[in-house]
């Protein structure tokens, strides 16, 4: 994960996450990414998001998610919302990553 402010003084902050995903795990992982980004798009301070994907041969994908926020406070609120969603669902992100070998 990388967070960086824009140099133009806008206060925008980007959250970037990178994942190496085996092909057999891609669909399950993408379903979770979609759920997460649906919630992120509803959060105050959300600006836009991107999902970049690059296939590495026939068995692996590199995925990068980028979310632009209006500031650090928006990221903090979004983290709280995501954590609450995971708790409601009984979802453990680290367990999914281990299980899918990501």
């Amino acid at each position: 994960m990388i967070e960086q402010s824009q140099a133009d003084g806008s206060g925008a902050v980007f959250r970037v996450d990178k994942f190496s995903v085996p092909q057999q795990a891609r669909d399950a992982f993408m379903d979770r990414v979609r759920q997460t980004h649906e919630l992120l798009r509803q959060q105050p301070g959300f600006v836009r998001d991107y999902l970049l994907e690059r296939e590495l041969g026939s068995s692996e994908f590199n995925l990068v998610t980028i979310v632009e926020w209006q500031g650090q406070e928006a990221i903090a609120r979004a983290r709280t919302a995501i954590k609450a969603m995971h708790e409601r669902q009984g979802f453990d992100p680290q367990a999914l990553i281990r299980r899918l070998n990501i």
Side-chain angles (χ1 to χ4, degrees):
M1 180 216 25
I2 302 167
E3 294 177 14
Q4 112 185 25
S5 296
Q6 285 185 339
D8 67 4
S10 70
V13 177
F14 295 85
R15 165 123 183 182
V16 179
D17 290 293
K18 300 176 188 179
F19 306 93
S20 179
V21 182
Q23 181 172 2
Q24 67 272 16
R26 184 187 175 280
D27 290 344
F29 185 71
M30 291 299 294
D31 285 343
R32 180 51 66 174
V33 169
R34 286 185 195 101
Q35 286 179 27
T36 299
H37 280 249
E38 285 176 18
L39 180 60
L40 293 177
R41 290 180 191 119
Q42 298 171 21
Q43 301 309 303
F46 172 87
V47 177
R48 74 187 111 212
D49 62 341
Y50 300 94
L51 172 64
L52 309 172
E53 182 175 19
R54 180 175 161 208
E55 186 174 349
L56 302 173
S58 62
S59 63
E60 190 174 354
F61 294 85
N62 275 345
L63 299 170
V64 177
T65 61
I66 303 170
V67 181
E68 181 180 353
W69 297 95
Q70 290 177 347
Q72 290 290 345
E73 299 81 22
I75 289 176
R77 287 189 302 268
R79 281 185 185 134
T80 300
I82 293 297
K83 183 178 177 183
M85 178 182 76
H86 290 170
E87 288 175 0
R88 282 191 308 274
Q89 296 173 341
F91 175 68
D92 179 352
Q94 295 306 313
L96 177 76
I97 287 171
R98 284 189 303 272
R99 182 173 57 84
L100 297 178
N101 198 29
I102 295 174

